[in-house]
Short mmCIF file of all heavy atoms in Angstrom, two decimals:
data_model
loop_
_atom_site.label_atom_id
_atom_site.label_comp_id
_atom_site.label_asym_id
_atom_site.label_seq_id
_atom_site.Cartn_x
_atom_site.Cartn_y
_atom_site.Cartn_z
N GLU D 39 10.23 -28.70 63.45
CA GLU D 39 10.39 -29.69 64.53
C GLU D 39 9.24 -29.52 65.53
O GLU D 39 8.65 -28.45 65.65
CB GLU D 39 11.73 -29.49 65.23
CG GLU D 39 12.92 -29.90 64.38
CD GLU D 39 14.21 -29.35 64.93
OE1 GLU D 39 14.33 -29.24 66.16
OE2 GLU D 39 15.09 -29.03 64.10
N LEU D 132 35.59 -7.70 62.76
CA LEU D 132 35.85 -6.29 63.06
C LEU D 132 37.33 -5.93 62.81
O LEU D 132 37.63 -4.80 62.40
CB LEU D 132 35.52 -6.00 64.55
CG LEU D 132 34.06 -5.47 64.74
CD1 LEU D 132 33.06 -6.57 64.45
CD2 LEU D 132 33.87 -4.90 66.13
N MET D 138 41.23 -2.62 57.22
CA MET D 138 41.02 -1.98 55.89
C MET D 138 40.95 -0.49 56.06
O MET D 138 41.43 0.27 55.20
CB MET D 138 39.74 -2.56 55.26
CG MET D 138 39.58 -2.15 53.80
SD MET D 138 40.94 -2.79 52.80
CE MET D 138 40.91 -1.62 51.43
N GLY D 147 45.36 9.59 53.13
CA GLY D 147 45.79 10.66 54.01
C GLY D 147 44.65 11.24 54.86
O GLY D 147 44.85 12.15 55.65
N HIS D 173 27.90 21.86 57.72
CA HIS D 173 27.56 23.28 57.65
C HIS D 173 26.43 23.62 58.59
O HIS D 173 26.42 24.69 59.23
CB HIS D 173 27.19 23.68 56.20
CG HIS D 173 28.36 23.68 55.26
ND1 HIS D 173 29.49 24.45 55.51
CD2 HIS D 173 28.60 23.03 54.10
CE1 HIS D 173 30.38 24.24 54.52
NE2 HIS D 173 29.84 23.38 53.66
N LEU D 200 20.04 15.53 45.36
CA LEU D 200 19.11 14.78 46.23
C LEU D 200 19.16 15.33 47.67
O LEU D 200 18.17 15.30 48.39
CB LEU D 200 19.58 13.32 46.22
CG LEU D 200 18.68 12.25 46.84
CD1 LEU D 200 17.44 12.10 45.98
CD2 LEU D 200 19.42 10.93 46.92
N ARG D 310 38.24 13.87 56.73
CA ARG D 310 39.24 14.39 57.68
C ARG D 310 38.65 14.45 59.08
O ARG D 310 37.44 14.36 59.28
CB ARG D 310 39.71 15.78 57.23
CG ARG D 310 40.72 15.66 56.08
CD ARG D 310 41.25 17.00 55.67
NE ARG D 310 41.80 17.72 56.82
CZ ARG D 310 42.09 19.03 56.79
NH1 ARG D 310 41.88 19.71 55.69
NH2 ARG D 310 42.56 19.64 57.86
N PHE D 312 37.91 16.57 61.36
CA PHE D 312 36.84 17.46 61.81
C PHE D 312 35.48 17.08 61.25
O PHE D 312 34.45 17.57 61.70
CB PHE D 312 37.18 18.93 61.46
CG PHE D 312 37.21 19.25 60.01
CD1 PHE D 312 36.08 19.76 59.36
CD2 PHE D 312 38.35 19.03 59.25
CE1 PHE D 312 36.11 20.07 58.03
CE2 PHE D 312 38.40 19.32 57.90
CZ PHE D 312 37.27 19.85 57.28
N GLY D 366 53.41 -3.07 46.49
CA GLY D 366 52.63 -3.74 45.46
C GLY D 366 51.48 -2.88 45.00
O GLY D 366 51.12 -2.87 43.81
N TRP D 437 32.59 0.82 26.95
CA TRP D 437 31.87 1.94 27.61
C TRP D 437 32.12 3.23 26.83
O TRP D 437 33.23 3.53 26.44
CB TRP D 437 32.41 2.07 29.05
CG TRP D 437 32.02 3.36 29.70
CD1 TRP D 437 32.86 4.37 30.10
CD2 TRP D 437 30.71 3.77 30.08
NE1 TRP D 437 32.15 5.38 30.65
CE2 TRP D 437 30.83 5.05 30.68
CE3 TRP D 437 29.45 3.20 29.96
CZ2 TRP D 437 29.74 5.76 31.14
CZ3 TRP D 437 28.34 3.90 30.44
CH2 TRP D 437 28.50 5.17 31.03
#
Side-chain angles (χ1 to χ4, degrees):
Chain D
E39 289 165 33
L132 269 67
M138 191 60 204
H173 289 304
L200 191 68
R310 281 183 54 194
F312 67 95
W437 165 247

